[in-house]
Amino acid sequence: MEFRPVAAPGDVQHLRVPVPEDAAHHFPTATVLLGDRALLTSWVEGHAAHRLGILDLRTGQWRVLPGLRGMLRDALAVADDCALILTDHALTEIDVRTLEVTRRLTASIGKHNTNIRRDGDGVIAVGNDSAATETLVSVATMTVLQRRRRSVLRRDPIPAEAAREGAARILHHGSGLLLAATQTRESAPQRLLLLSPEGRSLLPAVDVPLGLSRAHVVGDGVIAAGPDIGRARHLTAILGVVPSGSEAPSLPLSELVRTANASAAELLTQHSRRNPPRTVSRDHRLEPGQELADATGRRLTLENCVAARAAERHERPRIARVQVTDLELSSSSLNGAVLEDVTVDGLRCSDGAGFLFGCELRRVTLRGRIRGLILNSTLDDPDPATTARYARWHHDRLADPEWMLDLTGATGDITIRGYPSRFIRRNPELQAVVSAAAAHTLDWRAVDPGRSSLSVALHELVRSDWEDVTLVADTHSAHASDDLRYIQRLRALGIAQPT
């Protein structure tokens, strides 16, 4: 179904969640109503640090629980002040009043569970809708009782009238209201339908372009949530749509939204004082002939950013005269780009983004700690002609004496493949050069690398057409002493160059 905005009910408001602006995207979560007391959701901050957000429906105050193992999938209240939180890899018991973890179960419950429900006195069932079995857990002892074939979960059928309105998933059925989504896929742009129990439309649909995961009746209205709270950073509150006579919490939804928004803003202010926010640049593409130039930045994250392939050398995407302090690459690829007069002070590469293939380097300086960077001079493309074109451009660059890379002030996990050492400024205390001639004629295999992985580069050297290879000892690694000892031994035997 094509997504086209429609007019929504007049009282649709954003209910803010205390998610920092630089929170990670693409971590699906559930948003769970815990009785009439709390609403729970989760997100990721920093480098895979999970957070559980708890909105008190009686006071409108947000609280944040750190240390959650995985994203929220389901929750169940087992006492007035006790709840069980189900995440991807754990079942955690928390004291809702003090927001403390009291017990946790990870063994024998399996992974990627999605639901939790009562199964008799003092027993809960943990499972996944797509799995054949489920796990029974004792609430009293927090131990696994047994595994069994999964019970059939009853789902509300979609009334014929609701199907005609476009309903594809039932989200809630009760309180004189039927809530439905117009797409089976949660992450797809869609609409929230507000229908009578028989499926007739009561109000105009509400657009949810970032997807729709859950919808809950809260007081005199509805709170709807998308699957990616880290991206949306808010819930959708629809006020005054529940028929009169329905049970309502002590705080009206309009006041709940106002108080929750103020609470979220206060928490985010406190968070920014402790952790200055990063600037996140997402989903950008450097097209052929495009240049990013004359820029400086600090605490910058590039997420899903890529460089396009070029048919002509002068059309290669270019990054020039750029200085960045504390740069993070996440799910990004600058393969094939030209980097000229670029300085990076502190670099972290995650999600495989540290592999930079086929880049042309001109006066690129790395400083500070570098994590997970692999520079490979070749670019392997599904199109053989593109691969050959970039190989030719790299060969032409080797005729230019201008230096490529300055590593004199850099430490950390750096791998250099195919860029000759004569173009690299080095720190002789941490970095060494082994020529192709030495690798082919001298017995470097007899040198014990210990726990160092630097010998891998020598194996690659003898199988390649490189002039030499630059070995970089990672002084931040648990194997730092092995790296340094290996380099010293190679130099003592004349395999690595003396400086």
Side-chain angles (χ1 to χ4, degrees):
M1 181 183 74
E2 183 181 359
F3 182 75
R4 295 178 180 175
V6 298
D11 238 346
V12 178
Q13 299 182 15
H14 284 175
L15 194 160
R16 196 173 181 184
V17 182
V19 180
E21 292 183 11
D22 57 355
H25 292 187
H26 312 299
F27 284 87
T29 187
T31 300
V32 182
L33 191 64
L34 202 61
D36 63 354
R37 297 194 55 181
L39 188 74
L40 280 59
T41 190
S42 67
W43 60 91
V44 173
E45 294 179 12
H47 303 288
H50 297 90
R51 299 288 185 262
L52 178 68
I54 302 178
L55 174 62
D56 190 322
L57 299 178
R58 300 179 182 183
T59 65
Q61 297 298 309
W62 279 104
R63 293 182 294 167
V64 178
L65 174 66
L68 195 67
R69 295 187 180 180
M71 299 297 284
L72 175 68
R73 298 305 172 206
D74 206 352
L76 183 67
V78 292
D80 288 343
D81 296 316
C82 181
L84 293 174
I85 308 299
L86 180 67
T87 60
D88 301 286
H89 309 295
L91 180 66
T92 303
E93 181 186 77
I94 66 169
D95 186 318
V96 179
R97 179 184 54 192
T98 62
L99 215 61
E100 293 181 352
V101 173
T102 51
R103 294 184 295 178
R104 179 174 279 136
L105 176 64
T106 57
S108 303
I109 64 169
K111 298 180 180 179
H112 310 300
N113 293 306
T114 59
N115 55 70
I116 176 176
R117 60 182 177 80
R118 299 184 186 277
D119 191 84
D121 294 338
V123 178
I124 60 168
V126 177
N128 185 313
D129 291 349
S130 61
T133 60
E134 61 186 3
T135 304
L136 298 184
V137 177
S138 167
V139 176
T141 62
M142 203 69 164
T143 56
V144 172
L145 298 176
Q146 69 175 90
R147 296 278 295 177
R148 72 176 184 189
R149 290 192 63 82
R150 180 171 60 85
S151 302
V152 177
L153 299 179
R154 295 183 179 180
R155 299 190 182 279
D156 291 332
I158 300 177
E161 189 73 23
R164 283 192 286 272
E165 295 285 345
R169 277 185 297 132
I170 300 298
L171 304 175
H172 172 86
H173 199 170
S175 306
L177 193 65
L178 188 150
L179 305 176
T182 57
Q183 293 283 353
T184 57
R185 188 164 61 92
E186 294 182 354
S187 59
Q190 55 197 286
R191 297 187 180 107
L192 171 64
L193 303 177
L194 299 97
L195 310 169
S196 70
E198 297 77 27
R200 296 187 301 274
S201 178
L202 296 175
L203 290 166
V206 177
D207 291 328
V208 278
L210 296 181
L212 179 58
S213 173
R214 304 283 181 98
H216 305 287
V217 172
V218 177
D220 61 343
V222 171
I223 294 179
D228 189 349
I229 296 299
R231 181 184 180 194
R233 300 178 55 239
H234 70 265
L235 307 172
T236 300
I238 306 140
L239 282 57
V241 296
V242 176
S244 60
S246 300
E247 295 184 3
S250 57
L251 199 62
L253 185 54
S254 58
E255 186 177 346
L256 177 69
V257 171
R258 180 181 60 79
T259 309
N261 287 349
S263 175
E266 182 179 357
L267 288 175
L268 288 170
T269 299
Q270 296 172 2
H271 179 276
S272 64
R273 292 183 187 137
R274 297 189 304 268
N275 305 286
R278 300 184 67 85
T279 300
V280 182
S281 181
R282 293 186 171 97
D283 305 321
H284 290 290
R285 176 183 171 92
L286 276 176
E287 299 294 344
Q290 189 174 0
E291 180 180 68
L292 172 63
D294 302 307
T296 60
R298 186 177 184 85
R299 293 181 60 81
L300 174 65
T301 296
L302 300 183
E303 185 174 303
N304 297 319
C305 296
V306 299
R309 303 289 185 267
E312 300 292 338
R313 183 172 183 175
H314 68 276
E315 293 181 345
R316 296 177 71 173
R318 181 179 296 269
I319 301 175
R321 301 178 300 283
V322 169
Q323 296 186 21
V324 182
T325 300
D326 190 358
L327 173 64
E328 179 182 24
L329 301 180
S330 177
S331 302
S332 296
S333 169
L334 301 178
N335 295 346
V338 176
L339 308 181
E340 183 173 353
D341 294 314
V342 172
T343 299
V344 177
D345 190 346
L347 173 66
R348 178 191 291 269
C349 306
S350 58
D351 305 321
F355 289 85
L356 269 63
F357 292 92
C359 290
E360 181 177 317
L361 308 179
R362 303 183 68 82
R363 300 180 298 278
V364 174
T365 300
L366 299 180
R367 296 176 184 157
R369 184 173 180 180
I370 311 298
R371 309 184 193 192
L373 178 64
I374 299 177
L375 293 172
N376 195 322
S377 62
T378 62
L379 188 150
D380 293 326
D381 192 88
D383 177 17
T386 300
T387 300
R389 184 163 62 248
Y390 277 82
R392 183 175 67 253
W393 293 340
H394 174 67
H395 182 268
D396 294 342
R397 170 66 179 90
L398 298 183
D400 184 343
E402 186 64 59
W403 63 274
M404 297 181 180
L405 189 62
D406 187 339
L407 298 178
T408 55
T411 62
D413 181 15
I414 307 170
T415 301
I416 310 294
R417 297 172 177 168
Y419 292 97
S421 64
R422 57 192 171 96
F423 294 100
I424 301 174
R425 297 178 174 180
R426 303 178 303 279
N427 176 356
E429 294 184 4
L430 303 179
Q431 299 148 18
V433 175
V434 177
S435 68
H440 283 288
T441 59
L442 302 178
D443 191 11
W444 56 268
R445 292 179 178 84
V447 181
D448 181 11
R451 297 174 298 169
S452 173
S453 61
L454 295 180
S455 60
V456 174
L458 300 186
H459 285 280
E460 293 175 337
L461 177 60
V462 297
R463 296 195 301 264
S464 70
D465 59 354
W466 305 340
E467 295 180 19
D468 52 32
V469 68
T470 299
L471 306 178
V472 181
D474 182 2
T475 56
H476 304 279
S477 167
H479 306 154
S481 59
D482 294 84
D483 282 356
L484 293 170
R485 190 180 302 111
Y486 186 60
I487 286 177
Q488 292 169 0
R489 186 61 177 157
L490 292 176
R491 282 179 172 154
L493 295 174
I495 299 170
Q497 296 177 11
T499 58

